[in-house]
Amino acid sequence: MFCNQCEQTAKGTGCTVVGVCGKKPDIAALQDLLLYALKGLSIFAQEGRNQGLVDDEVNLFTYQALFTTVTNVNFDATRLQELILQCLALREKLKVQVASKGGQVDFSCPSTTFQGATELAKLVEQGEEVGLLTDKEANADIQSLQATMIYGIKGLAAYADHAYILGKSDDKVAAYIHEALASIGNKSLTLQDWIGLTLKCGEINLLAMQLLDEANTGTYGHPVPTSVPLGHKKGKAILVSGHDLKDLEELLKQTDGKGIYIYTHGEMLPTHGYPDLKKYEHFYGHYGTAWQNQKKEFKEFPGAILMTTNCIQEPQDLYKENIFTSGLVAWPGVAHVDKEDFTPLIEKALTMPGFAEDEEKGQVLTGFARDAILNVADAVVNEVKEGNIKHFFLVGGCDGAKPGRSYYTDFVEKAPQDTVILTLACGKFRFFDSQLGDIGGIPRLLDVGQCNDAYSAIQVAVALSNAFDCEVNDLPLSLVLSWYEQKAVAILLTLLHLGIKNIRIGPSLPAFITPNVLNVLVENFNIKPISTVEEDLDAILN
């Protein structure tokens, strides 16, 4: 196997024996084969569009299949086998439809004709023989851009899938993904072509994040500033982790009146700010911190646990019977439930002890999405003009277990008192309960939301630039980001598409970026790795 799609990849180069995420070689091979099959499907989808044919089933499947290969989503070989065979069936169905429109159906690319083995072991062998980035003769910089693009479209697909679940979609998203996958292996494309195609991922991801923002706020209302308890209530309990708001809503509906308190974990924390979610009285508080701490935190939770989207680690025996997956998430031997019927999860929670007594552990604030911040924009601008706020820092991104991430805690704690910290995604858990005070009644720590809410942060930056009549890059605003998985790659590409410069990123640079590609990013966007907190603060503020 070879996998270098996450920040924690082995030795900073790539996992070759087993993934640091827990992915085994057979799972890696099946994921490679699924991507290979998606390339063949994409070629027909692209030709179908040339003939005026758009298949919504193919679009949705593309999102789901790509999302399945994101880090910490699907570790189940049987589920991957089903997706591969479904992909091939959709390919053949689409081929017939394209032919009926008079389109081309004979292509030289073998991904358009290969047949999947009927036995799982044989499928694994097929996966070991293919890979979208295994051309030994390819230019290293072109392969670097292809990898960046592939990992970016995985993140893009995740956002598109979230939006689709809540009824928002745009064929421009699927069209780009199909174009990107169909282009892999195209020898006629130059280095400049690949730079353009990779940066286009950022443009399309901005559209997907806008769709998701409209889906979330249109369904559940705009988040409002909310204090979230870190303690618990006496009684039965269910813990929800991940990002899927629809799963949470359905669980809240199905547990209403059953004497079960619902708690969030990880990036579910910002859901407490949505009016149509927080209205449920049994939606109580937040338990634990970020995804990488779940093995310790889950074994101490006295209730059932629901894992949605990308977040799962190998469940420990102490809680394996208590944990359930939903949506695209899967782990061998772990019960899977559908959002339409959470009965098995609920029944499990009712058999467990729950919390024996109330506990107070303080509270944290969330719900400072774009609407909440822009409602006090005049006050913010006034504090800046009066010199009370000297600088804004967006300190966010992914959390992880790899050493070096204490930098972000230290950065926030050492940021001057006349600065404001915006944060989003699970990177916030390095400092989310820090007491930083306020400036003129404006909290110095503003939780914008999940990584799924990056659109909110972008809109805040745009609104501030309009208020000060300047470009975003001229604002007293600095981005200090941590990355881990593929949604972070998509967001970074969006920031580059928008022309945002001077981004600091860490704790390490992506293993799939070659020195030449990095040089392009440095020359055009002044992107740079983090150094020390003291050096970075001094460089930014002086």
Side-chain angles (χ1 to χ4, degrees), residues 173-420:
V173 178
Y176 165 72
I177 292 176
H178 290 142
E179 176 192 10
L181 287 171
S183 298
I184 299 292
N186 186 340
K187 302 291 187 181
S188 68
L189 296 180
T190 66
L191 183 66
Q192 284 302 123
D193 291 331
W194 281 109
I195 290 174
L197 198 54
T198 301
L199 288 178
K200 187 177 179 181
C201 181
E203 174 189 356
I204 301 301
N205 187 59
L206 180 63
L207 170 60
M209 290 195 299
Q210 179 183 353
L211 291 170
L212 179 55
D213 181 85
E214 292 172 355
N216 287 340
T217 58
T219 305
Y220 304 112
H222 284 276
V224 296
T226 302
S227 292
V228 183
L230 296 178
H232 52 251
K233 298 284 288 183
K234 178 181 179 180
K236 306 293 185 179
I238 292 176
L239 184 64
V240 186
S241 190
H243 305 76
D244 196 294
L245 272 61
K246 183 64 174 177
D247 274 1
L248 176 60
E249 178 194 21
E250 291 302 322
L251 181 62
L252 288 168
K253 288 180 178 178
Q254 294 175 40
T255 52
D256 197 11
K258 287 185 166 56
I260 302 173
Y261 288 104
I262 306 300
Y263 299 84
T264 53
H265 180 270
E267 289 209 48
M268 278 291 185
L269 169 61
T271 60
H272 289 274
Y274 285 95
D276 279 5
L277 294 177
K278 63 182 298 180
K279 68 182 181 181
Y280 292 92
E281 293 183 2
H282 62 300
F283 187 31
Y284 181 68
H286 188 77
Y287 175 92
T289 52
W291 66 270
Q292 78 275 3
N293 299 319
Q294 65 186 249
K295 291 183 179 180
K296 175 184 177 182
E297 294 169 352
F298 286 3
K299 70 180 182 182
E300 298 171 355
F301 187 75
I305 303 165
L306 177 65
M307 306 299 291
T308 73
T309 70
N310 53 308
C311 53
I312 194 168
Q313 288 188 300
E314 181 177 7
Q316 303 299 287
D317 290 340
L318 285 172
Y319 61 84
K320 192 171 185 178
E321 291 186 357
N322 309 332
I323 193 168
F324 296 76
T325 58
S326 65
L328 301 175
V329 186
W331 195 284
V334 170
H336 192 81
V337 288
D338 190 278
K339 61 171 57 74
E340 301 301 322
D341 185 6
F342 283 127
T343 299
L345 169 72
I346 295 169
E347 289 179 345
K348 184 64 179 180
L350 291 173
T351 66
M352 297 187 67
F355 289 106
E357 58 185 8
D358 292 352
E359 180 185 52
E360 295 291 336
K361 293 181 65 176
Q363 298 184 337
V364 293
L365 278 173
T366 191
F368 291 97
R370 61 184 174 90
D371 193 64
I373 294 179
L374 296 182
N375 279 339
V376 295
D378 290 344
V380 173
V381 171
N382 186 61
E383 293 296 335
V384 174
K385 289 182 176 179
E386 291 188 359
N388 298 323
I389 296 178
K390 296 289 178 59
H391 207 87
F392 297 89
F393 294 105
L394 175 58
V395 185
C398 311
D399 205 355
K402 191 175 180 180
R405 292 179 180 270
S406 59
Y407 167 95
Y408 299 94
T409 308
D410 296 340
F411 190 98
V412 168
E413 291 179 349
K414 293 181 179 180
Q417 293 295 309
D418 55 6
T419 62
V420 171

